[in-house]
Amino acid sequence: MKIQNRIVLIFTVLTAGIILSLSIFLYIFTSGSIAASFYHRLEVRAKIVGHAALQKDKSQTSIYYDIKEKHLGDLPDEQHWIIWKNDTKKADSLKKKLPLPQTFYDEIIRKQPARFSKNDTSYVGMNIIESGENIIVLSSAVDLYGLEEMENLKSLLVTGFLISLLFVITFGKLFSIQIFSPIRRIIRNVKGISAHNLNQRLSVDSNKDEISDLATTFNDMLDRLEITFDIQNNFVSNASHEFKTPLTIISGESQINLSDSGLSEQVRESFRTIFREAEKMEHLTNSMLSLAQTGFDGKKEKWEALRIDELMFSVKETSDKIMPGNAVEINFDELPENEQKLVINGNETLLKAAFSNIVLNSCKYSDNKPVLIKIKADENHVIVEITDQGIGIPDREMSQIFVPFFRASNTGKYKGYGIGLPLANNIIKLHQGNIVVDSKVGVGTRFIIYLPTEV
C-alpha cells in the first residue's frame, strides 16, 4: 500500500474512532437523561396516587386524581399498585407477578425511591407517609416518546457518522494529495535522470522543510555521481588508447622477430609466448573496457526498433564465424502471432554482443553439443531461451556467475576470463530486461532472457 493511501486510511480510522466515541457518549448520556426524566414523571404520579389513597375524605381523593388527569395526564400502559402496611399477602403476590429484582424491594424497605427498567417498561417504588400512615406505591409505564426519541437519535447519529466518514475520506484524500505533491514531483524528476543527463538537478523550494532537505540530498548525491561517472568515462576513453598502443607494439615486434630466420628455436619460442600473451592481454583489455562501458553508458550508439528473430539470425551468423563447428539451432515453433511482440527498442551492437556471449559460452562449455535457441513472448516481454547440454553450473556458485572475473569451479579446462556473462547481464539490464538461469551439473544450462516489447 502506498504511503499516501496509508495516511488516508490512518487519518480516516482515527477520525472515525473519535466521531464514533462521541456519538456513543452522546447516545448513552441522552438515554440516561431521558430515562431519569421519565422516572421522575412516573414518581410524581406515584406520589399523587399514594397521597390520594391515604386520604380518608374521599372528596379529597378526587381532587388528587383531578390534578393528575388535568395537569399530568396518563402515561402509556400506566399502572399503580398500593401495598398497605402489614399486607404481606399482597406484597408476596406482587413479587411473583412483577419482574422486579430483590434489590428493588430492598431500596423500598430502606425507604429510598427504587427504580428499575425491563423490556421498555419502567418501574418505580416508594414509601408514602401521611398522618402517621405508611403505604408502598409501585408504578409502571412505557416511555413511548422517549423510545421514539432514542430511535430518532440513533438514526441521526448513524447517518451523521456515515456522512462525516465520507467527508473525512474525501478531505483526507485531498489533503494527502496536497502533502505528497512535492514528493511525486521529485519522483518524476528522479525517474527522468539517467547517465546521459546527470547534470539535471531537482528544484528546491524555499520552504526549508523536509521536502526541501530531501531534494537537496538528491542533488548532492547527483553531484557525487556525476563526478564519479566523469572520472570513469575519462578513464575508459584514455585506457582504450593507452592500453591498446603498447599491446599493438608488443604484438608487432614479436611478429617481426618471429620472421627472422636466424633466431634459435629457444628464442623463437619465447617470442611466440610473448605474442600469445599479448593477444590474450589485448582481448582481456577489450573485454574489460566493454564491461566498463556498459556499466555507465550503454547508449552511445543509436537505439532503434529491432526484431528479436532477426537479431538471433545475426547472432547465429556470428557464432558460425567464430566457432564453425557449432550445433546452434533456432526454434521458431512458439513465435507469437502478433509480430509486433517481437519488436524491442535497443542498441543492435550491444544486444548482439550480449546474446553472442551467451551462445558462444553455451557452445564452449558443452563441447559443441546442440544449443537450442527458442523465441516466444508474453503480454509484456519477448523471451529468448538458450539451452545447452554442457557441464552445468554448481548450485553453490549460481549467485556469482554475473560477478566479473568469476569462473565456476568446473571450468578449469576451458579458456576464459569470466567477463562474458557479466557483460551480457549489464547489457540486458540497460535494456530494462533480466536474465534467469537454470542449470544442473552434468545436464546443461538454460538462460531465459526477458526484454520489454514495444507493444
Side-chain angles (χ1 to χ4, degrees), residues 338-373:
N338 183 3
E339 294 185 357
Q340 279 299 113
K341 289 190 174 182
L342 295 173
V343 179
I344 60 174
N345 183 39
N347 181 282
E348 183 177 5
T349 303
L350 289 175
L351 285 174
K352 184 177 177 181
F355 283 109
S356 295
N357 271 317
I358 296 174
V359 171
L360 290 173
N361 268 3
S362 296
C363 293
K364 178 170 68 174
Y365 293 115
S366 65
D367 298 314
N368 277 342
K369 290 179 182 178
V371 175
L372 179 64
I373 301 175

Coordinates of all heavy atoms in Angstrom, one line a residue, residues 338-373:
N338 N 1.2 -12.2 -33.2 CA 1.4 -10.7 -33.4 C 2.9 -10.4 -33.6 O 3.6 -10.5 -32.6 CB 0.8 -10.0 -32.3 CG 0.9 -8.5 -32.5 OD1 1.3 -8.0 -33.5 ND2 0.4 -7.7 -31.5
E339 N 3.3 -10.1 -34.8 CA 4.8 -9.9 -35.0 C 5.3 -8.7 -34.2 O 6.5 -8.5 -34.0 CB 5.0 -9.7 -36.5 CG 4.8 -10.9 -37.3 CD 5.2 -10.8 -38.7 OE1 5.6 -9.6 -39.1 OE2 5.1 -11.7 -39.5
Q340 N 4.4 -7.8 -33.8 CA 4.8 -6.6 -33.0 C 5.4 -7.0 -31.7 O 6.2 -6.2 -31.1 CB 3.6 -5.6 -32.8 CG 3.3 -4.7 -34.0 CD 4.5 -3.8 -34.3 OE1 5.1 -4.0 -35.4 NE2 4.9 -2.9 -33.4
K341 N 5.0 -8.2 -31.2 CA 5.6 -8.6 -29.9 C 7.0 -9.1 -30.0 O 7.6 -9.3 -29.0 CB 4.7 -9.8 -29.4 CG 3.3 -9.3 -28.9 CD 2.6 -10.4 -28.1 CE 1.3 -9.9 -27.5 NZ 0.6 -11.0 -26.8
L342 N 7.5 -9.1 -31.2 CA 8.9 -9.5 -31.5 C 9.8 -8.2 -31.5 O 11.0 -8.3 -31.6 CB 9.1 -10.3 -32.7 CG 8.5 -11.7 -32.8 CD1 8.6 -12.3 -34.1 CD2 9.1 -12.6 -31.7
V343 N 9.2 -7.0 -31.5 CA 9.9 -5.8 -31.7 C 10.3 -5.2 -30.3 O 9.5 -5.1 -29.4 CB 9.1 -4.8 -32.5 CG1 9.9 -3.4 -32.6 CG2 8.7 -5.3 -33.8
I344 N 11.6 -4.9 -30.2 CA 12.1 -4.3 -28.9 C 12.8 -3.0 -29.3 O 13.2 -2.8 -30.4 CB 13.0 -5.2 -28.2 CG1 14.2 -5.6 -29.0 CG2 12.3 -6.5 -27.7 CD1 15.3 -6.4 -28.3
N345 N 13.0 -2.2 -28.3 CA 13.8 -0.9 -28.5 C 15.1 -1.1 -27.9 O 15.2 -1.4 -26.7 CB 13.1 0.3 -27.9 CG 13.8 1.6 -28.1 OD1 14.3 1.8 -29.2 ND2 13.8 2.4 -27.1
G346 N 16.2 -1.1 -28.7 CA 17.5 -1.3 -28.2 C 18.6 -1.0 -29.1 O 18.4 -0.5 -30.3
N347 N 19.8 -1.2 -28.7 CA 21.0 -1.0 -29.5 C 21.5 -2.3 -30.0 O 21.8 -3.3 -29.3 CB 22.1 -0.4 -28.6 CG 23.4 -0.1 -29.3 OD1 24.2 -1.0 -29.6 ND2 23.6 1.1 -29.7
E348 N 21.5 -2.4 -31.4 CA 21.7 -3.7 -32.0 C 23.1 -4.2 -31.7 O 23.3 -5.4 -31.4 CB 21.6 -3.5 -33.5 CG 21.8 -4.8 -34.3 CD 21.6 -4.7 -35.8 OE1 21.4 -3.5 -36.2 OE2 21.6 -5.7 -36.5
T349 N 24.1 -3.4 -31.7 CA 25.5 -3.8 -31.4 C 25.6 -4.4 -30.0 O 26.2 -5.5 -29.8 CB 26.5 -2.6 -31.5 OG1 26.4 -2.1 -32.9 CG2 27.9 -3.1 -31.3
L350 N 25.1 -3.7 -29.0 CA 25.2 -4.2 -27.6 C 24.4 -5.5 -27.5 O 24.9 -6.5 -26.9 CB 24.6 -3.2 -26.7 CG 25.5 -1.9 -26.5 CD1 24.8 -0.9 -25.6 CD2 26.8 -2.3 -25.9
L351 N 23.2 -5.6 -28.0 CA 22.4 -6.8 -27.8 C 23.0 -8.0 -28.5 O 23.0 -9.1 -28.0 CB 20.9 -6.6 -28.3 CG 20.0 -5.7 -27.4 CD1 18.7 -5.4 -28.1 CD2 19.8 -6.4 -26.1
K352 N 23.6 -7.7 -29.7 CA 24.2 -8.8 -30.4 C 25.4 -9.3 -29.6 O 25.6 -10.5 -29.6 CB 24.7 -8.3 -31.8 CG 25.3 -9.3 -32.7 CD 25.7 -8.8 -34.0 CE 26.4 -9.8 -34.9 NZ 26.8 -9.2 -36.2
A353 N 26.1 -8.4 -29.0 CA 27.3 -8.8 -28.2 C 26.8 -9.6 -27.0 O 27.4 -10.7 -26.6 CB 28.0 -7.6 -27.7
A354 N 25.7 -9.2 -26.4 CA 25.2 -9.9 -25.2 C 24.7 -11.3 -25.5 O 25.2 -12.3 -24.9 CB 24.0 -9.2 -24.6
F355 N 23.9 -11.5 -26.6 CA 23.4 -12.8 -27.0 C 24.6 -13.7 -27.5 O 24.6 -14.9 -27.3 CB 22.3 -12.7 -28.0 CG 21.0 -12.3 -27.4 CD1 20.4 -11.0 -27.6 CD2 20.3 -13.2 -26.6 CE1 19.2 -10.7 -27.1 CE2 19.0 -12.8 -26.1 CZ 18.5 -11.6 -26.3
S356 N 25.5 -13.1 -28.2 CA 26.6 -13.8 -28.8 C 27.5 -14.4 -27.6 O 27.9 -15.6 -27.7 CB 27.5 -13.0 -29.7 OG 26.8 -12.5 -30.8
N357 N 27.7 -13.6 -26.6 CA 28.5 -14.1 -25.4 C 27.8 -15.3 -24.8 O 28.5 -16.3 -24.5 CB 28.6 -13.0 -24.4 CG 29.8 -12.2 -24.6 OD1 30.9 -12.7 -24.9 ND2 29.7 -10.9 -24.5
I358 N 26.5 -15.3 -24.6 CA 25.8 -16.4 -24.0 C 25.8 -17.6 -24.9 O 26.1 -18.7 -24.4 CB 24.3 -16.0 -23.7 CG1 24.3 -14.8 -22.7 CG2 23.5 -17.2 -23.2 CD1 22.9 -14.3 -22.4
V359 N 25.5 -17.4 -26.2 CA 25.5 -18.6 -27.1 C 26.9 -19.2 -27.3 O 27.0 -20.4 -27.2 CB 25.0 -18.1 -28.5 CG1 25.2 -19.2 -29.5 CG2 23.5 -17.7 -28.4
L360 N 27.9 -18.4 -27.4 CA 29.3 -18.9 -27.5 C 29.7 -19.6 -26.2 O 30.4 -20.6 -26.3 CB 30.3 -17.8 -27.9 CG 30.1 -17.2 -29.3 CD1 31.0 -16.0 -29.5 CD2 30.4 -18.2 -30.3
N361 N 29.3 -19.1 -25.1 CA 29.6 -19.8 -23.8 C 28.9 -21.2 -23.8 O 29.5 -22.2 -23.4 CB 29.1 -19.0 -22.6 CG 30.2 -18.0 -22.1 OD1 31.3 -18.0 -22.6 ND2 29.8 -17.3 -21.0
S362 N 27.7 -21.2 -24.3 CA 26.9 -22.5 -24.3 C 27.6 -23.5 -25.2 O 27.7 -24.7 -24.9 CB 25.5 -22.2 -24.8 OG 24.8 -21.4 -23.9
C363 N 28.1 -23.0 -26.4 CA 28.9 -23.9 -27.3 C 30.2 -24.4 -26.7 O 30.5 -25.5 -26.7 CB 29.1 -23.1 -28.6 SG 27.7 -22.8 -29.6
K364 N 30.9 -23.4 -26.0 CA 32.2 -23.7 -25.5 C 32.1 -24.7 -24.4 O 32.8 -25.8 -24.3 CB 32.9 -22.5 -25.0 CG 34.3 -22.7 -24.4 CD 35.0 -21.4 -24.2 CE 34.4 -20.6 -23.1 NZ 35.2 -19.4 -22.8
Y365 N 31.2 -24.5 -23.4 CA 31.1 -25.3 -22.2 C 30.3 -26.6 -22.4 O 30.1 -27.4 -21.5 CB 30.6 -24.5 -21.0 CG 31.5 -23.4 -20.6 CD1 31.1 -22.1 -20.7 CD2 32.7 -23.7 -20.1 CE1 32.0 -21.1 -20.3 CE2 33.6 -22.7 -19.7 CZ 33.2 -21.4 -19.8 OH 34.1 -20.4 -19.4
S366 N 29.8 -26.8 -23.7 CA 29.1 -28.0 -24.0 C 29.9 -28.8 -25.0 O 29.4 -29.8 -25.6 CB 27.7 -27.8 -24.5 OG 27.7 -27.1 -25.7
D367 N 31.1 -28.3 -25.3 CA 32.0 -29.0 -26.3 C 31.2 -29.2 -27.7 O 31.3 -30.3 -28.3 CB 32.5 -30.4 -25.8 CG 33.3 -30.2 -24.6 OD1 34.2 -29.3 -24.6 OD2 33.1 -30.9 -23.6
N368 N 30.6 -28.1 -28.1 CA 29.8 -28.0 -29.3 C 28.7 -29.1 -29.5 O 28.3 -29.5 -30.6 CB 30.8 -28.2 -30.5 CG 31.5 -26.9 -30.9 OD1 31.0 -25.8 -30.5 ND2 32.6 -27.0 -31.6
K369 N 28.1 -29.4 -28.3 CA 26.9 -30.2 -28.4 C 25.7 -29.3 -28.8 O 25.9 -28.0 -28.8 CB 26.6 -30.8 -27.0 CG 27.6 -31.9 -26.7 CD 27.3 -32.5 -25.3 CE 28.3 -33.6 -24.9 NZ 28.0 -34.1 -23.5
P370 N 24.6 -29.8 -29.1 CA 23.5 -28.9 -29.6 C 23.1 -27.8 -28.6 O 23.0 -28.1 -27.4 CB 22.3 -29.9 -29.8 CG 23.0 -31.2 -30.1 CD 24.2 -31.2 -29.2
V371 N 22.9 -26.6 -29.1 CA 22.5 -25.5 -28.4 C 21.2 -25.0 -29.0 O 21.2 -24.7 -30.2 CB 23.5 -24.4 -28.3 CG1 22.9 -23.1 -27.7 CG2 24.8 -24.8 -27.6
L372 N 20.1 -25.0 -28.3 CA 18.8 -24.6 -28.8 C 18.4 -23.2 -28.4 O 18.4 -22.8 -27.2 CB 17.7 -25.6 -28.3 CG 16.3 -25.3 -28.8 CD1 16.2 -25.5 -30.3 CD2 15.3 -26.3 -28.1
I373 N 18.1 -22.4 -29.4 CA 17.6 -21.0 -29.1 C 16.1 -21.0 -29.4 O 15.7 -21.3 -30.6 CB 18.3 -20.0 -30.0 CG1 19.8 -20.0 -29.7 CG2 17.7 -18.6 -29.7 CD1 20.6 -19.1 -30.6

